Amino acid sequence: MEETDSGAEPAIDWDSMTFSFTETDRMYIAKCKQGEDWQAGIMQDFQELRLSPAAGVINYGQGLFEGMKARRAEDGRVLLFRPELNARRAQGGSRRLGMAVVSEEMFLDAVHQVVQENIRWLPPNGRGELYIRPLIFGSGAILGVAPAPEYTFLVYAVPVGLYFKGGMNPIALKVSNEFHRAAPGGSGGVKAIGNYAPGMMPSKNAKAEGYAEIIYLDAVHHRYVEEVGAANFFCVKDNVLYTPELTGTILPGITRLSTIELARSLGYQVLETKVDIEFAMGADEAFCAGTAAVISPIGSIEHGGNVATYCDGEVGAVTKQLYDALTAIQEGRAPDPFGWTPSV
Ligand code: PLP
Ligand code: COI
């Protein structure tokens, strides 16, 4: 993807994009010494970082990330999706990890600048999204296990296609009987970078067996559904939606919240509760929800040698209705009565 003229169309085939890294033009960076205010952030060319080998983030995983998307509407507007919720979630995560907190205003300003200065990487309407990746991490050197003396707030962006190959083709998932993602009192409820590496091998192994991802059960009873890799879980039984309640071990997904609000506005009852895996296996429909995954229908779940198949491998009617309603708002094809899609 060689491109030097920053005004030109990038040499990228929008229709064959996957959810993978492409280097774009510009990134935002700001720094903050512990106990002081953030220095003014600057936009700079996308570049590698200089970090002390003793930086808190690479020694002790003191860092978090966010994930959000900008989309090009048919009428040319560039739409974000509830970016203030990413800003607030990052604030909660920074507090949990003992890091400097980025104000909502600074976070949103950085996101807007990164979209504007990488606008040529924003795919045409309906052909993908610009995925925005804010990072906050301990960049100062520290040897003891303690909060780093300096923090970096960085935002970059990458054009992306589908997270799960096949898009609305229902995916096959497998319950992990060996691994858990998070325990009560841990960091599962924030987007800590350290939550992700332990899931890589389980996920890779499941993919090698032909599954799209892992479903994690709770670490205490090994019975209640937590999450699907990097997305939240929903199932539908007798037209009622069920999704795992927020107890601190799962990520409070923005797509999860939006799906709940949207479903309620469409007249569905939605229960945030403990979702027993046996109940989920007997549900009528299941899907997962996340920024990268959007709403992805689940076709089957394997658990302890049993396989539950939903809707004969077709997309369930409720899943389809919610997918259509959510993406129509996100892409600016439908009115946005909730005010979820500010333009850049
Ligand atoms: N759960 C995990 C572990 C995630 O990493 C994500 C992705 O952000 C989600 C759920 C979905 O959250 P959101 O809808 O805010 O993207
Ligand atoms: C997201 O949906 O934004 C995620 O963070 C998922 C994943 C790529 C980690």
Side-chain angles (χ1 to χ4, degrees):
M1 245 147 274
E2 284 174 28
E3 191 54 64
T4 47
D5 177 354
S6 65
E9 269 266 306
I12 184 168
D13 177 3
W14 302 119
D15 299 316
S16 58
M17 285 189 301
T18 57
F19 193 88
S20 55
F21 178 71
T22 299
E23 186 172 317
T24 53
D25 298 330
R26 304 275 288 165
M27 65 187 217
Y28 172 100
I29 189 160
K31 296 201 176 197
C32 172
K33 298 256 182 281
Q34 199 185 76
E36 296 179 12
D37 286 339
W38 286 91
Q39 294 163 8
I42 55 164
M43 290 297 298
Q44 55 183 217
D45 286 346
F46 191 98
Q47 59 193 261
E48 294 186 358
L49 301 174
R50 275 177 63 91
L51 268 188
S52 165
V57 65
I58 48 178
N59 287 263
Y60 303 122
Q62 196 191 17
L64 61 77
F65 69 95
E66 271 301 330
M68 49 215 296
K69 283 173 170 174
R71 296 174 172 87
R72 205 185 282 278
E74 243 166 11
D75 61 10
R77 281 175 307 149
V78 176
L79 304 178
L80 295 172
F81 187 70
R82 310 188 81 175
E84 70 287 354
L85 298 187
N86 295 90
R88 287 176 210 157
R89 185 168 66 186
Q91 291 181 333
S94 291
R95 289 191 188 102
R96 175 68 182 84
L97 300 177
M99 301 196 293
V101 171
V102 174
S103 72
E104 197 173 310
E105 185 191 357
M106 182 175 182
F107 186 99
L108 296 178
D109 173 57
V111 166
H112 279 255
Q113 288 192 62
V114 167
V115 173
Q116 278 159 354
E117 298 203 19
N118 291 293
I119 200 74
R120 73 194 185 110
W121 294 99
L122 180 72
N125 170 257
R127 290 164 77 188
E129 297 104 13
L130 188 67
Y131 183 78
I132 304 153
R133 175 52 67 85
L135 300 170
I136 302 168
F137 55 91
S139 43
I142 184 122
L143 194 59
V145 179
E150 183 204 76
Y151 294 89
T152 296
F153 171 41
L154 194 152
V155 185
Y156 67 92
V158 175
V160 295
L162 295 171
Y163 188 65
F164 290 119
K165 283 192 283 255
M168 280 302 272
N169 288 335
I171 52 177
L173 300 180
K174 178 184 181 170
V175 173
S176 176
N177 280 319
E178 216 180 330
F179 302 102
H180 294 110
R181 181 182 166 275
S187 62
V190 301
K191 235 164 141 55
I193 56 172
N195 291 344
Y196 291 82
M200 290 176 188
M201 280 318 289
S203 169
K204 191 172 171 199
N205 292 342
K207 285 175 186 163
E209 292 176 48
Y211 298 99
E213 252 305 348
I214 288 280
I215 294 187
Y216 289 104
L217 300 185
D218 77 285
V220 176
H221 306 96
H222 194 65
R223 173 169 171 191
Y224 303 109
V225 175
E226 295 253 297
E227 296 191 63
V228 180
N232 293 112
F233 180 85
F234 282 82
C235 63
V236 185
K237 178 84 180 162
D238 298 328
N239 272 330
V240 176
L241 278 89
Y242 296 81
T243 193
E245 61 190 348
L246 301 178
T247 57
T249 56
I250 67 169
L251 195 78
I254 292 159
T255 320
R256 173 189 178 279
L257 176 66
S258 307
T259 303
I260 293 171
E261 292 174 352
L262 200 53
R264 287 188 178 143
S265 80
L266 292 168
Y268 289 101
Q269 188 184 358
V270 185
L271 298 178
E272 295 180 72
T273 178
K274 288 192 172 25
V275 180
D276 193 309
I277 182 63
E278 295 305 333
F279 175 81
M281 302 274 288
D284 305 327
E285 298 181 30
F287 63 88
C288 53
T291 298
V294 194
I295 283 181
S296 294
I298 298 171
S300 66
I301 297 178
E302 192 276 345
H303 173 46
N306 298 321
V307 179
T309 305
Y310 301 95
C311 306
D312 294 324
E314 300 291 315
V315 182
V318 178
T319 306
K320 176 84 169 65
Q321 185 188 8
L322 291 169
Y323 172 85
D324 287 344
L326 179 67
T327 54
I329 293 176
Q330 289 178 327
E331 293 167 17
R333 285 183 279 108
D336 173 11
F338 306 99
W340 284 347
T341 51
S343 325
V344 175

